[in-house]
PDB file of all heavy atoms in Angstrom:
ATOM      1  N   PRO A  53      20.394 -24.846   2.341  1.00  0.00           N
ATOM      2  CA  PRO A  53      21.684 -25.526   2.142  1.00  0.00           C
ATOM      3  C   PRO A  53      21.574 -26.934   1.559  1.00  0.00           C
ATOM      4  O   PRO A  53      22.488 -27.383   0.872  1.00  0.00           O
ATOM      5  CB  PRO A  53      22.296 -25.584   3.542  1.00  0.00           C
ATOM      6  CG  PRO A  53      21.596 -24.527   4.321  1.00  0.00           C
ATOM      7  CD  PRO A  53      20.222 -24.424   3.737  1.00  0.00           C
ATOM      8  N   PRO A  68      11.219 -27.812   2.541  1.00  0.00           N
ATOM      9  CA  PRO A  68      11.603 -28.692   1.436  1.00  0.00           C
ATOM     10  C   PRO A  68      11.103 -30.121   1.712  1.00  0.00           C
ATOM     11  O   PRO A  68      10.500 -30.359   2.748  1.00  0.00           O
ATOM     12  CB  PRO A  68      13.142 -28.672   1.479  1.00  0.00           C
ATOM     13  CG  PRO A  68      13.524 -27.816   2.651  1.00  0.00           C
ATOM     14  CD  PRO A  68      12.308 -27.673   3.521  1.00  0.00           C
ATOM     15  N   GLU A  69      11.383 -31.023   0.803  1.00  0.00           N
ATOM     16  CA  GLU A  69      11.141 -32.475   0.942  1.00  0.00           C
ATOM     17  C   GLU A  69       9.720 -32.845   0.501  1.00  0.00           C
ATOM     18  O   GLU A  69       8.737 -32.568   1.218  1.00  0.00           O
ATOM     19  CB  GLU A  69      11.391 -32.924   2.395  1.00  0.00           C
ATOM     20  CG  GLU A  69      11.548 -34.424   2.583  1.00  0.00           C
ATOM     21  CD  GLU A  69      12.793 -34.985   1.890  1.00  0.00           C
ATOM     22  OE1 GLU A  69      13.869 -34.354   1.948  1.00  0.00           O
ATOM     23  OE2 GLU A  69      12.685 -36.037   1.240  1.00  0.00           O
ATOM     24  N   ASN A  71       7.545 -35.447   0.425  1.00  0.00           N
ATOM     25  CA  ASN A  71       6.471 -36.012   1.243  1.00  0.00           C
ATOM     26  C   ASN A  71       6.151 -35.168   2.478  1.00  0.00           C
ATOM     27  O   ASN A  71       5.016 -35.194   2.961  1.00  0.00           O
ATOM     28  CB  ASN A  71       6.801 -37.459   1.628  1.00  0.00           C
ATOM     29  CG  ASN A  71       6.379 -38.440   0.547  1.00  0.00           C
ATOM     30  OD1 ASN A  71       6.023 -38.015  -0.556  1.00  0.00           O
ATOM     31  ND2 ASN A  71       6.419 -39.724   0.842  1.00  0.00           N
ATOM     32  N   ALA A  72       7.127 -34.388   2.960  1.00  0.00           N
ATOM     33  CA  ALA A  72       6.848 -33.450   4.050  1.00  0.00           C
ATOM     34  C   ALA A  72       5.884 -32.372   3.552  1.00  0.00           C
ATOM     35  O   ALA A  72       4.927 -32.002   4.241  1.00  0.00           O
ATOM     36  CB  ALA A  72       8.140 -32.828   4.563  1.00  0.00           C
ATOM     37  N   ASP A  75       2.354 -33.892   3.220  1.00  0.00           N
ATOM     38  CA  ASP A  75       1.669 -33.993   4.518  1.00  0.00           C
ATOM     39  C   ASP A  75       1.302 -32.605   5.052  1.00  0.00           C
ATOM     40  O   ASP A  75       0.220 -32.426   5.620  1.00  0.00           O
ATOM     41  CB  ASP A  75       2.557 -34.735   5.538  1.00  0.00           C
ATOM     42  CG  ASP A  75       2.250 -36.236   5.581  1.00  0.00           C
ATOM     43  OD1 ASP A  75       1.147 -36.637   5.175  1.00  0.00           O
ATOM     44  OD2 ASP A  75       3.127 -37.007   6.030  1.00  0.00           O
ATOM     45  N   ASP A  79      -2.406 -31.443   5.821  1.00  0.00           N
ATOM     46  CA  ASP A  79      -2.795 -30.958   7.164  1.00  0.00           C
ATOM     47  C   ASP A  79      -3.723 -29.743   7.058  1.00  0.00           C
ATOM     48  O   ASP A  79      -4.595 -29.540   7.908  1.00  0.00           O
ATOM     49  CB  ASP A  79      -1.551 -30.518   7.959  1.00  0.00           C
ATOM     50  CG  ASP A  79      -0.765 -31.696   8.538  1.00  0.00           C
ATOM     51  OD1 ASP A  79      -1.231 -32.842   8.428  1.00  0.00           O
ATOM     52  OD2 ASP A  79       0.322 -31.450   9.095  1.00  0.00           O
ATOM     53  N   ARG A  95      -6.234 -47.102   4.572  1.00  0.00           N
ATOM     54  CA  ARG A  95      -5.073 -46.496   5.241  1.00  0.00           C
ATOM     55  C   ARG A  95      -3.775 -47.288   5.038  1.00  0.00           C
ATOM     56  O   ARG A  95      -2.738 -46.712   4.736  1.00  0.00           O
ATOM     57  CB  ARG A  95      -5.368 -46.368   6.736  1.00  0.00           C
ATOM     58  CG  ARG A  95      -4.233 -45.783   7.556  1.00  0.00           C
ATOM     59  CD  ARG A  95      -4.036 -44.292   7.319  1.00  0.00           C
ATOM     60  NE  ARG A  95      -3.140 -43.713   8.292  1.00  0.00           N
ATOM     61  CZ  ARG A  95      -2.857 -42.419   8.391  1.00  0.00           C
ATOM     62  NH1 ARG A  95      -3.417 -41.561   7.561  1.00  0.00           N
ATOM     63  NH2 ARG A  95      -2.038 -41.976   9.304  1.00  0.00           N
ATOM     64  N   LEU A  99      -0.512 -45.850   3.206  1.00  0.00           N
ATOM     65  CA  LEU A  99       0.789 -45.632   3.865  1.00  0.00           C
ATOM     66  C   LEU A  99       1.896 -46.356   3.098  1.00  0.00           C
ATOM     67  O   LEU A  99       2.982 -45.817   2.895  1.00  0.00           O
ATOM     68  CB  LEU A  99       0.757 -46.139   5.313  1.00  0.00           C
ATOM     69  CG  LEU A  99      -0.096 -45.325   6.296  1.00  0.00           C
ATOM     70  CD1 LEU A  99      -0.065 -45.992   7.677  1.00  0.00           C
ATOM     71  CD2 LEU A  99       0.375 -43.877   6.384  1.00  0.00           C
ATOM     72  N   TYR A 100       1.616 -47.588   2.669  1.00  0.00           N
ATOM     73  CA  TYR A 100       2.665 -48.326   1.966  1.00  0.00           C
ATOM     74  C   TYR A 100       3.116 -47.587   0.711  1.00  0.00           C
ATOM     75  O   TYR A 100       4.293 -47.295   0.534  1.00  0.00           O
ATOM     76  CB  TYR A 100       2.224 -49.757   1.618  1.00  0.00           C
ATOM     77  CG  TYR A 100       3.337 -50.450   0.850  1.00  0.00           C
ATOM     78  CD1 TYR A 100       4.548 -50.717   1.471  1.00  0.00           C
ATOM     79  CD2 TYR A 100       3.212 -50.750  -0.509  1.00  0.00           C
ATOM     80  CE1 TYR A 100       5.607 -51.284   0.769  1.00  0.00           C
ATOM     81  CE2 TYR A 100       4.266 -51.315  -1.211  1.00  0.00           C
ATOM     82  CZ  TYR A 100       5.457 -51.578  -0.564  1.00  0.00           C
ATOM     83  OH  TYR A 100       6.511 -52.117  -1.259  1.00  0.00           O
ATOM     84  N   HIS A 103       4.779 -43.997   1.179  1.00  0.00           N
ATOM     85  CA  HIS A 103       6.160 -44.016   1.658  1.00  0.00           C
ATOM     86  C   HIS A 103       7.094 -44.792   0.729  1.00  0.00           C
ATOM     87  O   HIS A 103       8.281 -44.475   0.642  1.00  0.00           O
ATOM     88  CB  HIS A 103       6.219 -44.597   3.071  1.00  0.00           C
ATOM     89  CG  HIS A 103       5.647 -43.683   4.114  1.00  0.00           C
ATOM     90  ND1 HIS A 103       6.203 -42.467   4.411  1.00  0.00           N
ATOM     91  CD2 HIS A 103       4.560 -43.805   4.930  1.00  0.00           C
ATOM     92  CE1 HIS A 103       5.494 -41.874   5.374  1.00  0.00           C
ATOM     93  NE2 HIS A 103       4.489 -42.659   5.694  1.00  0.00           N
ATOM     94  N   ALA A 104       6.559 -45.825   0.032  1.00  0.00           N
ATOM     95  CA  ALA A 104       7.418 -46.609  -0.861  1.00  0.00           C
ATOM     96  C   ALA A 104       7.905 -45.764  -2.040  1.00  0.00           C
ATOM     97  O   ALA A 104       9.003 -45.978  -2.555  1.00  0.00           O
ATOM     98  CB  ALA A 104       6.686 -47.855  -1.378  1.00  0.00           C
ATOM     99  N   GLY A 107      10.775 -43.928  -0.387  1.00  0.00           N
ATOM    100  CA  GLY A 107      11.690 -44.793   0.359  1.00  0.00           C
ATOM    101  C   GLY A 107      12.269 -45.927  -0.459  1.00  0.00           C
ATOM    102  O   GLY A 107      13.381 -46.391  -0.167  1.00  0.00           O
ATOM    103  N   SER A 108      11.556 -46.402  -1.487  1.00  0.00           N
ATOM    104  CA  SER A 108      12.048 -47.558  -2.250  1.00  0.00           C
ATOM    105  C   SER A 108      12.209 -47.281  -3.745  1.00  0.00           C
ATOM    106  O   SER A 108      13.213 -47.667  -4.335  1.00  0.00           O
ATOM    107  CB  SER A 108      11.111 -48.758  -2.044  1.00  0.00           C
ATOM    108  OG  SER A 108      11.273 -49.294  -0.748  1.00  0.00           O
ATOM    109  N   MET A 122      27.344 -41.730 -14.992  1.00  0.00           N
ATOM    110  CA  MET A 122      28.763 -41.996 -14.734  1.00  0.00           C
ATOM    111  C   MET A 122      29.452 -42.525 -15.986  1.00  0.00           C
ATOM    112  O   MET A 122      30.542 -42.095 -16.339  1.00  0.00           O
ATOM    113  CB  MET A 122      28.921 -43.027 -13.605  1.00  0.00           C
ATOM    114  CG  MET A 122      28.934 -42.423 -12.226  1.00  0.00           C
ATOM    115  SD  MET A 122      28.883 -43.706 -10.920  1.00  0.00           S
ATOM    116  CE  MET A 122      30.518 -44.435 -11.092  1.00  0.00           C
ATOM    117  N   LEU A 134      33.166 -48.678 -16.927  1.00  0.00           N
ATOM    118  CA  LEU A 134      32.023 -48.118 -16.196  1.00  0.00           C
ATOM    119  C   LEU A 134      30.705 -48.692 -16.688  1.00  0.00           C
ATOM    120  O   LEU A 134      29.785 -48.914 -15.904  1.00  0.00           O
ATOM    121  CB  LEU A 134      32.024 -46.591 -16.301  1.00  0.00           C
ATOM    122  CG  LEU A 134      33.125 -45.926 -15.471  1.00  0.00           C
ATOM    123  CD1 LEU A 134      33.189 -44.436 -15.745  1.00  0.00           C
ATOM    124  CD2 LEU A 134      32.910 -46.169 -13.983  1.00  0.00           C
ATOM    125  N   ALA A 137      30.428 -52.111 -15.041  1.00  0.00           N
ATOM    126  CA  ALA A 137      30.140 -51.990 -13.603  1.00  0.00           C
ATOM    127  C   ALA A 137      28.702 -51.517 -13.375  1.00  0.00           C
ATOM    128  O   ALA A 137      27.995 -52.039 -12.502  1.00  0.00           O
ATOM    129  CB  ALA A 137      31.130 -51.032 -12.951  1.00  0.00           C
ATOM    130  N   THR A 141      25.776 -53.687 -11.428  1.00  0.00           N
ATOM    131  CA  THR A 141      25.064 -53.167 -10.251  1.00  0.00           C
ATOM    132  C   THR A 141      23.567 -53.091 -10.530  1.00  0.00           C
ATOM    133  O   THR A 141      22.738 -53.386  -9.667  1.00  0.00           O
ATOM    134  CB  THR A 141      25.610 -51.771  -9.885  1.00  0.00           C
ATOM    135  OG1 THR A 141      27.019 -51.884  -9.698  1.00  0.00           O
ATOM    136  CG2 THR A 141      24.989 -51.242  -8.614  1.00  0.00           C
ATOM    137  N   GLY A 152      10.500 -56.275  -8.370  1.00  0.00           N
ATOM    138  CA  GLY A 152       9.718 -56.728  -7.217  1.00  0.00           C
ATOM    139  C   GLY A 152       8.651 -55.722  -6.825  1.00  0.00           C
ATOM    140  O   GLY A 152       7.500 -56.083  -6.561  1.00  0.00           O
TER     141      GLY A 152
ATOM    142  N   PRO B  59       7.642 -59.757  -2.717  1.00  0.00           N
ATOM    143  CA  PRO B  59       8.476 -59.661  -3.929  1.00  0.00           C
ATOM    144  C   PRO B  59       9.457 -58.485  -3.924  1.00  0.00           C
ATOM    145  O   PRO B  59      10.510 -58.575  -4.550  1.00  0.00           O
ATOM    146  CB  PRO B  59       7.453 -59.492  -5.058  1.00  0.00           C
ATOM    147  CG  PRO B  59       6.168 -59.999  -4.512  1.00  0.00           C
ATOM    148  CD  PRO B  59       6.209 -59.751  -3.040  1.00  0.00           C
ATOM    149  N   ALA B  60       9.135 -57.367  -3.233  1.00  0.00           N
ATOM    150  CA  ALA B  60      10.045 -56.231  -3.261  1.00  0.00           C
ATOM    151  C   ALA B  60      11.311 -56.545  -2.455  1.00  0.00           C
ATOM    152  O   ALA B  60      12.387 -56.010  -2.740  1.00  0.00           O
ATOM    153  CB  ALA B  60       9.359 -54.969  -2.741  1.00  0.00           C
ATOM    154  N   PRO B  74       5.568 -53.775   4.563  1.00  0.00           N
ATOM    155  CA  PRO B  74       6.975 -53.384   4.473  1.00  0.00           C
ATOM    156  C   PRO B  74       7.079 -51.856   4.449  1.00  0.00           C
ATOM    157  O   PRO B  74       6.060 -51.168   4.488  1.00  0.00           O
ATOM    158  CB  PRO B  74       7.426 -53.946   3.114  1.00  0.00           C
ATOM    159  CG  PRO B  74       6.225 -54.554   2.476  1.00  0.00           C
ATOM    160  CD  PRO B  74       5.018 -54.071   3.230  1.00  0.00           C
ATOM    161  N   GLU B  75       8.295 -51.357   4.383  1.00  0.00           N
ATOM    162  CA  GLU B  75       8.612 -49.928   4.194  1.00  0.00           C
ATOM    163  C   GLU B  75       8.669 -49.176   5.534  1.00  0.00           C
ATOM    164  O   GLU B  75       7.624 -48.916   6.156  1.00  0.00           O
ATOM    165  CB  GLU B  75       7.587 -49.264   3.255  1.00  0.00           C
ATOM    166  CG  GLU B  75       7.994 -47.915   2.690  1.00  0.00           C
ATOM    167  CD  GLU B  75       9.203 -48.015   1.749  1.00  0.00           C
ATOM    168  OE1 GLU B  75       9.278 -48.942   0.914  1.00  0.00           O
ATOM    169  OE2 GLU B  75      10.114 -47.176   1.878  1.00  0.00           O
ATOM    170  N   ASN B  77       8.949 -46.089   6.878  1.00  0.00           N
ATOM    171  CA  ASN B  77       8.091 -44.997   7.334  1.00  0.00           C
ATOM    172  C   ASN B  77       6.607 -45.350   7.295  1.00  0.00           C
ATOM    173  O   ASN B  77       5.816 -44.809   8.076  1.00  0.00           O
ATOM    174  CB  ASN B  77       8.370 -43.715   6.533  1.00  0.00           C
ATOM    175  CG  ASN B  77       9.536 -42.932   7.134  1.00  0.00           C
ATOM    176  OD1 ASN B  77      10.244 -43.441   8.007  1.00  0.00           O
ATOM    177  ND2 ASN B  77       9.745 -41.701   6.673  1.00  0.00           N
ATOM    178  N   ALA B  78       6.238 -46.288   6.418  1.00  0.00           N
ATOM    179  CA  ALA B  78       4.853 -46.777   6.419  1.00  0.00           C
ATOM    180  C   ALA B  78       4.596 -47.529   7.727  1.00  0.00           C
ATOM    181  O   ALA B  78       3.547 -47.362   8.362  1.00  0.00           O
ATOM    182  CB  ALA B  78       4.606 -47.675   5.217  1.00  0.00           C
ATOM    183  N   ASP B  81       4.282 -44.978  10.622  1.00  0.00           N
ATOM    184  CA  ASP B  81       2.962 -44.347  10.651  1.00  0.00           C
ATOM    185  C   ASP B  81       1.876 -45.345  11.075  1.00  0.00           C
ATOM    186  O   ASP B  81       0.951 -44.998  11.819  1.00  0.00           O
ATOM    187  CB  ASP B  81       2.618 -43.742   9.273  1.00  0.00           C
ATOM    188  CG  ASP B  81       3.021 -42.266   9.168  1.00  0.00           C
ATOM    189  OD1 ASP B  81       3.162 -41.603  10.212  1.00  0.00           O
ATOM    190  OD2 ASP B  81       3.188 -41.764   8.037  1.00  0.00           O
ATOM    191  N   ASP B  85      -0.401 -44.889  14.291  1.00  0.00           N
ATOM    192  CA  ASP B  85      -1.868 -44.877  14.180  1.00  0.00           C
ATOM    193  C   ASP B  85      -2.508 -45.668  15.329  1.00  0.00           C
ATOM    194  O   ASP B  85      -3.614 -45.343  15.779  1.00  0.00           O
ATOM    195  CB  ASP B  85      -2.328 -45.523  12.862  1.00  0.00           C
ATOM    196  CG  ASP B  85      -2.168 -44.590  11.655  1.00  0.00           C
ATOM    197  OD1 ASP B  85      -1.820 -43.414  11.843  1.00  0.00           O
ATOM    198  OD2 ASP B  85      -2.393 -45.069  10.522  1.00  0.00           O
ATOM    199  N   ARG B 101       5.024 -29.664  14.478  1.00  0.00           N
ATOM    200  CA  ARG B 101       4.603 -30.460  13.322  1.00  0.00           C
ATOM    201  C   ARG B 101       5.480 -30.251  12.082  1.00  0.00           C
ATOM    202  O   ARG B 101       5.881 -31.204  11.425  1.00  0.00           O
ATOM    203  CB  ARG B 101       3.145 -30.122  12.992  1.00  0.00           C
ATOM    204  CG  ARG B 101       2.578 -30.877  11.799  1.00  0.00           C
ATOM    205  CD  ARG B 101       2.302 -32.336  12.091  1.00  0.00           C
ATOM    206  NE  ARG B 101       1.542 -32.943  11.014  1.00  0.00           N
ATOM    207  CZ  ARG B 101       1.080 -34.180  11.024  1.00  0.00           C
ATOM    208  NH1 ARG B 101       1.314 -34.959  12.053  1.00  0.00           N
ATOM    209  NH2 ARG B 101       0.388 -34.663  10.014  1.00  0.00           N
ATOM    210  N   LEU B 105       7.622 -33.144  10.318  1.00  0.00           N
ATOM    211  CA  LEU B 105       7.386 -33.648   8.955  1.00  0.00           C
ATOM    212  C   LEU B 105       8.673 -33.574   8.137  1.00  0.00           C
ATOM    213  O   LEU B 105       8.995 -34.500   7.387  1.00  0.00           O
ATOM    214  CB  LEU B 105       6.276 -32.838   8.266  1.00  0.00           C
ATOM    215  CG  LEU B 105       4.853 -33.038   8.790  1.00  0.00           C
ATOM    216  CD1 LEU B 105       3.894 -32.126   8.020  1.00  0.00           C
ATOM    217  CD2 LEU B 105       4.407 -34.497   8.675  1.00  0.00           C
ATOM    218  N   TYR B 106       9.396 -32.445   8.291  1.00  0.00           N
ATOM    219  CA  TYR B 106      10.612 -32.313   7.482  1.00  0.00           C
ATOM    220  C   TYR B 106      11.601 -33.442   7.777  1.00  0.00           C
ATOM    221  O   TYR B 106      12.011 -34.167   6.871  1.00  0.00           O
ATOM    222  CB  TYR B 106      11.296 -30.955   7.676  1.00  0.00           C
ATOM    223  CG  TYR B 106      12.561 -30.907   6.845  1.00  0.00           C
ATOM    224  CD1 TYR B 106      12.484 -30.954   5.455  1.00  0.00           C
ATOM    225  CD2 TYR B 106      13.817 -30.912   7.437  1.00  0.00           C
ATOM    226  CE1 TYR B 106      13.628 -30.980   4.670  1.00  0.00           C
ATOM    227  CE2 TYR B 106      14.973 -30.940   6.648  1.00  0.00           C
ATOM    228  CZ  TYR B 106      14.867 -30.969   5.275  1.00  0.00           C
ATOM    229  OH  TYR B 106      15.996 -31.015   4.496  1.00  0.00           O
ATOM    230  N   HIS B 109      10.447 -37.189   6.957  1.00  0.00           N
ATOM    231  CA  HIS B 109      10.472 -37.544   5.538  1.00  0.00           C
ATOM    232  C   HIS B 109      11.864 -37.385   4.934  1.00  0.00           C
ATOM    233  O   HIS B 109      12.215 -38.113   4.001  1.00  0.00           O
ATOM    234  CB  HIS B 109       9.460 -36.704   4.770  1.00  0.00           C
ATOM    235  CG  HIS B 109       8.039 -37.085   5.049  1.00  0.00           C
ATOM    236  ND1 HIS B 109       7.532 -38.319   4.732  1.00  0.00           N
ATOM    237  CD2 HIS B 109       7.015 -36.403   5.617  1.00  0.00           C
ATOM    238  CE1 HIS B 109       6.246 -38.381   5.085  1.00  0.00           C
ATOM    239  NE2 HIS B 109       5.914 -37.226   5.634  1.00  0.00           N
ATOM    240  N   ALA B 110      12.658 -36.431   5.445  1.00  0.00           N
ATOM    241  CA  ALA B 110      14.006 -36.239   4.881  1.00  0.00           C
ATOM    242  C   ALA B 110      14.901 -37.453   5.140  1.00  0.00           C
ATOM    243  O   ALA B 110      15.785 -37.767   4.341  1.00  0.00           O
ATOM    244  CB  ALA B 110      14.651 -34.978   5.449  1.00  0.00           C
ATOM    245  N   GLY B 113      13.734 -39.753   2.365  1.00  0.00           N
ATOM    246  CA  GLY B 113      13.674 -39.114   1.051  1.00  0.00           C
ATOM    247  C   GLY B 113      14.977 -38.477   0.617  1.00  0.00           C
ATOM    248  O   GLY B 113      15.228 -38.364  -0.588  1.00  0.00           O
ATOM    249  N   SER B 114      15.825 -38.042   1.568  1.00  0.00           N
ATOM    250  CA  SER B 114      17.056 -37.351   1.183  1.00  0.00           C
ATOM    251  C   SER B 114      18.325 -38.017   1.728  1.00  0.00           C
ATOM    252  O   SER B 114      19.304 -38.168   0.998  1.00  0.00           O
ATOM    253  CB  SER B 114      17.015 -35.891   1.640  1.00  0.00           C
ATOM    254  OG  SER B 114      16.128 -35.147   0.819  1.00  0.00           O
ATOM    255  N   MET B 128      31.087 -51.099  -5.539  1.00  0.00           N
ATOM    256  CA  MET B 128      31.405 -51.306  -6.958  1.00  0.00           C
ATOM    257  C   MET B 128      32.910 -51.372  -7.154  1.00  0.00           C
ATOM    258  O   MET B 128      33.425 -52.231  -7.873  1.00  0.00           O
ATOM    259  CB  MET B 128      30.824 -50.168  -7.805  1.00  0.00           C
ATOM    260  CG  MET B 128      29.400 -50.395  -8.257  1.00  0.00           C
ATOM    261  SD  MET B 128      28.697 -48.909  -9.049  1.00  0.00           S
ATOM    262  CE  MET B 128      29.651 -48.842 -10.577  1.00  0.00           C
ATOM    263  N   LEU B 140      37.126 -47.363 -11.463  1.00  0.00           N
ATOM    264  CA  LEU B 140      35.915 -47.295 -10.648  1.00  0.00           C
ATOM    265  C   LEU B 140      36.118 -46.417  -9.425  1.00  0.00           C
ATOM    266  O   LEU B 140      35.206 -45.716  -8.994  1.00  0.00           O
ATOM    267  CB  LEU B 140      35.459 -48.698 -10.246  1.00  0.00           C
ATOM    268  CG  LEU B 140      34.862 -49.499 -11.396  1.00  0.00           C
ATOM    269  CD1 LEU B 140      34.580 -50.933 -10.972  1.00  0.00           C
ATOM    270  CD2 LEU B 140      33.577 -48.851 -11.903  1.00  0.00           C
ATOM    271  N   ALA B 143      35.823 -42.835 -10.677  1.00  0.00           N
ATOM    272  CA  ALA B 143      34.427 -42.505 -11.002  1.00  0.00           C
ATOM    273  C   ALA B 143      33.588 -42.371  -9.729  1.00  0.00           C
ATOM    274  O   ALA B 143      32.782 -41.445  -9.594  1.00  0.00           O
ATOM    275  CB  ALA B 143      33.834 -43.583 -11.914  1.00  0.00           C
ATOM    276  N   THR B 147      31.715 -38.882  -8.480  1.00  0.00           N
ATOM    277  CA  THR B 147      30.270 -38.826  -8.220  1.00  0.00           C
ATOM    278  C   THR B 147      30.006 -38.427  -6.774  1.00  0.00           C
ATOM    279  O   THR B 147      29.079 -37.663  -6.485  1.00  0.00           O
ATOM    280  CB  THR B 147      29.626 -40.198  -8.525  1.00  0.00           C
ATOM    281  OG1 THR B 147      29.961 -40.553  -9.869  1.00  0.00           O
ATOM    282  CG2 THR B 147      28.121 -40.155  -8.393  1.00  0.00           C
ATOM    283  N   GLY B 158      25.040 -30.354   3.028  1.00  0.00           N
ATOM    284  CA  GLY B 158      23.944 -29.395   3.135  1.00  0.00           C
ATOM    285  C   GLY B 158      22.891 -29.839   4.141  1.00  0.00           C
ATOM    286  O   GLY B 158      22.416 -29.052   4.961  1.00  0.00           O
TER     287      GLY B 158
END
Side-chain angles (χ1 to χ4, degrees):
Chain A
E69 196 65 42
N71 275 10
D75 266 338
D79 282 354
R95 179 72 169 185
L99 290 178
Y100 178 66
H103 289 296
S108 287
M122 273 172 70
L134 288 173
T141 304
Chain B
E75 195 66 43
N77 275 11
D81 267 338
D85 282 354
R101 180 73 170 185
L105 290 178
Y106 178 65
H109 288 297
S114 286
M128 272 172 69
L140 288 173
T147 305

